[in-house]
């Protein structure tokens, strides 16, 4: 049985108190929400904070406010189950509820939060193992070692961004509000993730994620399609988020309104979400017909370069980028 290492557990009641603790403790501190990612990582000795600061008693982080026509703000400690069940999210942002519903299991969704999901550690077959397993291969670049077993000549870690909500947030243009003792900043989801399996976020450890800001739903639709081995629960080994905003004032020669804006974002295949700009180009200005969907799917296939560090054969996951893009876009046809 894997046991947690010893640590001090702090439960602040205000954001100011949480920031004071993290400032006082420094690099040895780490925030925790539901703990469904952090605690297994601590048991595997991948992350070893001496002080763990719960964000579950901070009232601001539990709020959901707004509505589709104005935009929605979701507190970082809102659980995945709450995301699935919230009536406004289900009605105005169904893609968020449906993507959350694909995450892990009902019990883990009761504990796991939106914030923890967006800040999930990157994953790799050579890293998500217990301490003894990793020691037997002399560890790897991401923790305690000096070689990457996936790409031995590489100076970079290729561990995979494996959150189901991240590609969706990038596709729909969400923003994240983070605070620290130094102040507050708002970061676009698309600028928040870095293509490096070790240094994978534009967020300092002392910064607290307070909430997620979703844009108004002014005519856009979005869909998320997930590839995993077991439908009941498993991390994505490919996730495709498709976002389309229709221009209802201009109609193409084909039936249906023209696409005014589009995003195709791939998750589960690289250290950061992959925006397929060529796919968006193939869609904008035309109606969402078979030829456009096929062209966008081809662009996703070309851009997808999964590595051999998660489940399934990576060449097959690349093929699936095409199929899952088709699936996501067909889901958006009105
Ligand atoms: C068996 C299993 C299956 C899973 N399947 C999936 C899956 O299919 N898809 C998926 O996306 N995830 C999956 N997960 C991962 C995880 O359950 C979810 O991503 C969950 O949403 C994480 O939320 P949490 O609140 O438990 O995060 P925690 O473990 O509490 O935290 C995760 C990270 O976020 C940081 N953090 C949390 N809140 C804040 C905050 N407000 N400010 C600053 N830092 C913060 C923590 O320090 C930590 O680094 C799975 C986990 C398990 C154990
Ligand atoms: S990609 Fe390489 S360095 Fe990163 S976790 Fe996997 S084996 Fe380690």
């Amino acid at each position: 049985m894997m046991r947690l290492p010893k640590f001090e557990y702090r439960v602040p009641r205000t954001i100011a108190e949480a920031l004071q603790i993290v400032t006082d403790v420094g690099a040895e501190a780490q925030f925790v929400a539901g703990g469904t990612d952090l605690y297994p990582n601590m048991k595997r000795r991948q992350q070893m904070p001496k002080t763990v600061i719960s964000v579950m008693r901070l009232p601001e982080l539990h709020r959901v406010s707004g509505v589709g026509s104005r935009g929605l703000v979701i507190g970082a400690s809102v659980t995945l189950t709450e995301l699935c069940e919230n009536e406004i999210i289900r009605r105005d942002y169904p893609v968020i509820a449906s993507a959350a519903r694909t995450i892990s299991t009902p019990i883990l969704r009761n504990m796991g939060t939106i914030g923890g999901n967006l800040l999930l550690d990157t994953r790799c077959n050579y890293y998500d193992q217990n301490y003894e397993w990793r020691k037997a291969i002399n560890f790897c670049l991401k923790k305690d070692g000096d070689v990457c077993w996936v790409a031995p000549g590489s100076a970079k870690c290729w561990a995979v961004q494996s959150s189901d909500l991240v590609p969706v947030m990038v596709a729909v243009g969400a923003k994240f509000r983070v605070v620290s003792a130094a102040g507050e900043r708002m970061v676009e989801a698309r600028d928040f993730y870095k293509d490096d399996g070790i240094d994978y976020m534009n967020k300092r450890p002392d910064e607290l994620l307070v909430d997620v800001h979703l844009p108004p739903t002014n005519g856009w639709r979005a869909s998320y399609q997930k590839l995993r081995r077991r439908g009941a629960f498993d991390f994505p080994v490919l996730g495709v988020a498709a976002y389309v905003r229709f221009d209802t004032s201009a109609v193409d020669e084909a039936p249906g309104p023209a696409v005014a804006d589009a995003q195709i974002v791939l998750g589960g295949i690289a250290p950061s979400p992959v925006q397929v700009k060529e796919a968006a180009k193939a869609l904008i200005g035309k109606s969402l017909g078979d030829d456009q969907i096929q062209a966008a799917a081809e662009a996703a296939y070309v851009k997808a370069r999964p590595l051999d560090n998660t489940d399934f054969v990576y060449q097959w996951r690349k093929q699936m980028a095409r199929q899952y893009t088709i699936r996501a876009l067909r889901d958006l046809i009105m």
Side-chain angles (χ1 to χ4, degrees), residues 29-41 44 47 49 52-56 58 61 75-80 99-105 108-109 111-121 123 161-167 177-179 192 200-201 203-211 224 226 228 230 232-236:
Q30 191 162 352
F31 293 115
V32 70
T36 63
D37 186 49
L38 181 63
Y39 292 141
N41 289 357
R44 292 190 290 250
Q47 288 166 315
V52 172
I53 308 165
S54 172
V55 299
M56 294 307 274
L58 306 175
L61 275 65
S77 296
V78 169
T79 66
L80 298 170
R101 208 169 294 120
T102 70
I103 297 172
S104 53
T105 66
L108 286 163
R109 290 198 292 273
M111 294 294 295
T113 63
I114 180 172
N117 186 259
L118 298 174
L119 306 178
L120 196 66
D121 194 9
R123 298 180 61 80
Q161 164 54 248
S162 303
S163 151
D164 284 298
L165 289 174
V166 165
R177 184 162 68 108
V178 292
V179 297
F192 195 77
Y200 50 90
M201 280 187 298
K203 186 187 95 55
R204 296 190 315 270
D206 66 323
E207 284 182 308
L208 174 77
L209 175 64
V210 178
D211 44 33
Y224 177 69
K226 169 175 180 173
R228 54 179 160 178
R230 295 167 294 185
F233 83 102
D234 257 333
F235 283 90

Side-chain angles (χ1 to χ4, degrees), residues 44-98:
R44 292 190 290 250
R45 296 339 188 228
Q46 292 160 322
Q47 288 166 315
M48 300 275 283
K50 293 270 186 308
T51 301
V52 172
I53 308 165
S54 172
V55 299
M56 294 307 274
R57 296 289 171 90
L58 306 175
E60 291 94 328
L61 275 65
H62 287 278
R63 285 186 197 143
V64 179
S65 62
V67 66
S69 56
R70 294 199 307 274
L72 197 74
V73 180
I74 307 175
S77 296
V78 169
T79 66
L80 298 170
T81 298
E82 286 166 335
L83 281 190
C84 300
E85 291 177 354
N86 181 288
E87 282 185 13
I88 293 171
I89 296 175
R90 283 165 64 128
R91 187 192 64 203
D92 296 348
Y93 299 89
V95 66
I96 305 288
S98 65

Side-chain angles (χ1 to χ4, degrees), residues 121-125 127-128 142 148 150 156-162 194-198 200 269-272 307 309-310:
D121 194 9
T122 52
R123 298 180 61 80
C124 171
N125 286 344
Y127 173 69
D128 291 301
K142 185 158 160 75
C148 170
V150 173
K156 168 182 156 180
C157 164
W158 295 89
V160 175
Q161 164 54 248
S162 303
K194 299 202 267 183
D195 195 28
D196 179 327
I198 297 170
Y200 50 90
I269 55 164
S272 62
L307 287 171
N309 58 350
T310 65

